[in-house]
Amino acid sequence: MDYRLNVTYITFGGHVEVHKYRYLYFVIMFTVYILIISSNFTIVCIIMIHKNLHEPMYIFIAALLINSVLFSTAIYPKLLIDFLSDEQIISYTGCLFQWLSSYWLAVSDFFLLSIMAYDRYVSICNPLKYTTIMQKTTVNLFLFSAWILPACLFSVGFLLTAKRKICTFHMKGILCNSTVQALHCERSKILNIYGLFLFVTGAILPLLFILFTYARILVVSYRCRGVRRRAAQTCLPHLLVLINFSCLSAYDVLLPRVELDFTKIVRFIMSIQLVIYHPLFNPIIYGLKMRRIYDHLKRLFCKMV
């Protein structure tokens, strides 16, 4: 514990030989961070510039990619500073903020993926009603809800956690995640119940809704040959993103709760994978698998060359 300026500091113990490989770690992760920002914002700008992409589906994709940049910004700057620092520490308040912001954006991703699934469901299963249902006001309301509702949910968790007394000042990982509760002197039943509520509300229910809508799309596609290709072109990228994000989220939630004797380097590699795969995976999938976006990207790179 560090009492400088009456601030409580938490030490990260998950770094592997950071003093020996600090510059290598920094260069690799800084390059990845730049790639995340440039790739995501490239597609977002393409969607904003071209009028034929001003449709609900592409607007939701842009929102999802903005989320990826925000998530990375909540993680990477602190991670890069730690690589170059003699001590890998963070204030308890800063740790709670990193935990809140990363999980808020993760739940927001689930909400956005649910909205995108609903958008595809209406487009494929009720095409005649699509323009009536997915109006500009509805799209704005969906986007507002996808960011504000998770923020409100996790703000309550933040306030409940901030009031808890901590007795441990060392974390095994390199990031602040749900393991922050292990710092508390006593386990809180209220926090455990609320955490379960957040998990069900922010992950399980959206996932079930997505599976239901895509099951309905699959049934309609099976009956009507004319919509099979359209469904495959627009739904496959969303499903790939969903599978990737769900697997990474399940790992992040379950690993701290499963007492497995992983070596330090294994935990370090797994933590690094969490912050690399999802933010980079999204723009690659949408850039390659969404035909309209791919065409605009192709023209852009041809002009640059």
Side-chain angles (χ1 to χ4, degrees), residues 1-18:
M1 181 176 178
D2 192 334
Y3 289 98
R4 289 170 294 181
L5 302 176
N6 291 324
V7 177
T8 302
Y9 286 92
I10 309 300
T11 302
F12 291 124
H15 293 273
V16 177
E17 297 192 41
V18 66

Side-chain angles (χ1 to χ4, degrees), residues 143-181:
L143 290 174
F144 180 80
S145 302
W147 276 311
I148 297 301
L149 289 180
C152 293
L153 289 172
F154 276 96
S155 294
V156 175
F158 177 86
L159 294 174
L160 291 174
T161 305
K163 294 180 180 180
R164 303 292 299 174
K165 183 180 179 181
I166 62 174
C167 292
T168 304
F169 307 94
H170 180 83
M171 298 184 73
K172 292 182 179 180
I174 61 174
L175 304 168
C176 291
N177 51 20
S178 57
T179 55
V180 71
Q181 296 186 29

Side-chain angles (χ1 to χ4, degrees), residues 25-73:
Y25 289 154
F26 180 86
V27 170
I28 292 173
M29 296 307 291
F30 181 74
T31 303
V32 171
Y33 185 41
I34 296 299
L35 285 174
I36 289 171
I37 293 176
S38 57
S39 60
N40 281 279
F41 272 136
T42 297
I43 296 181
V44 170
C45 290
I46 285 174
I47 292 173
M48 292 175 61
I49 292 170
H50 298 282
K51 291 185 178 180
N52 68 328
L53 298 180
H54 292 180
E55 297 177 6
M57 178 177 65
Y58 297 102
I59 292 172
F60 297 140
I61 289 174
L64 193 69
L65 298 182
I66 290 172
N67 255 20
S68 296
V69 174
L70 293 175
F71 173 81
S72 300
T73 303

Side-chain angles (χ1 to χ4, degrees), residues 39-234:
S39 60
N40 281 279
F41 272 136
T42 297
I43 296 181
V44 170
C45 290
I46 285 174
I47 292 173
M48 292 175 61
I49 292 170
H50 298 282
K51 291 185 178 180
N52 68 328
L53 298 180
H54 292 180
E55 297 177 6
M57 178 177 65
Y58 297 102
I59 292 172
F60 297 140
I61 289 174
L64 193 69
L65 298 182
I66 290 172
N67 255 20
S68 296
V69 174
L70 293 175
F71 173 81
S72 300
T73 303
I75 300 295
Y76 276 80
K78 174 57 182 166
L79 199 59
L80 293 172
I81 291 171
D82 283 342
F83 288 145
L84 298 180
S85 301
D86 293 329
E87 293 181 289
Q88 289 72 49
I89 60 175
I90 187 172
S91 68
Y92 181 56
T93 304
C95 189
L96 290 179
F97 180 76
Q98 188 181 71
W99 164 74
L100 168 70
S101 56
S102 59
Y103 277 60
W104 157 49
L105 292 167
V107 172
S108 179
D109 271 6
F110 270 117
F111 280 25
L112 285 169
L113 288 169
S114 301
I115 294 168
M116 293 162 76
Y118 176 72
D119 174 73
R120 291 300 84 204
Y121 168 76
V122 176
S123 176
I124 294 171
C125 300
N126 295 291
L128 298 179
K129 297 181 180 179
Y130 182 78
T131 54
T132 303
I133 295 174
M134 299 303 293
Q135 296 180 3
K136 186 177 179 179
T137 305
T138 306
V139 172
N140 291 335
L141 181 61
F142 279 154
L143 290 174
F144 180 80
S145 302
W147 276 311
I148 297 301
L149 289 180
C152 293
L153 289 172
F154 276 96
S155 294
V156 175
F158 177 86
L159 294 174
L160 291 174
T161 305
K163 294 180 180 180
R164 303 292 299 174
K165 183 180 179 181
I166 62 174
C167 292
T168 304
F169 307 94
H170 180 83
M171 298 184 73
K172 292 182 179 180
I174 61 174
L175 304 168
C176 291
N177 51 20
S178 57
T179 55
V180 71
Q181 296 186 29
L183 302 174
H184 299 157
C185 299
E186 296 179 359
R187 288 283 185 175
S188 171
K189 290 184 178 179
I190 296 176
L191 269 177
N192 287 336
I193 294 172
Y194 191 72
L196 180 61
F197 167 75
L198 286 177
F199 180 66
V200 172
T201 305
I204 300 299
L205 291 180
L207 187 60
L208 291 175
F209 176 78
I210 293 169
L211 293 176
F212 170 77
T213 53
Y214 279 115
R216 293 290 299 166
I217 291 172
L218 185 63
V219 170
V220 172
S221 301
Y222 179 77
R223 290 176 181 174
C224 305
R225 292 184 180 180
V227 300
R228 287 183 189 177
R229 185 177 179 182
R230 179 185 169 196
Q233 287 179 344
T234 59

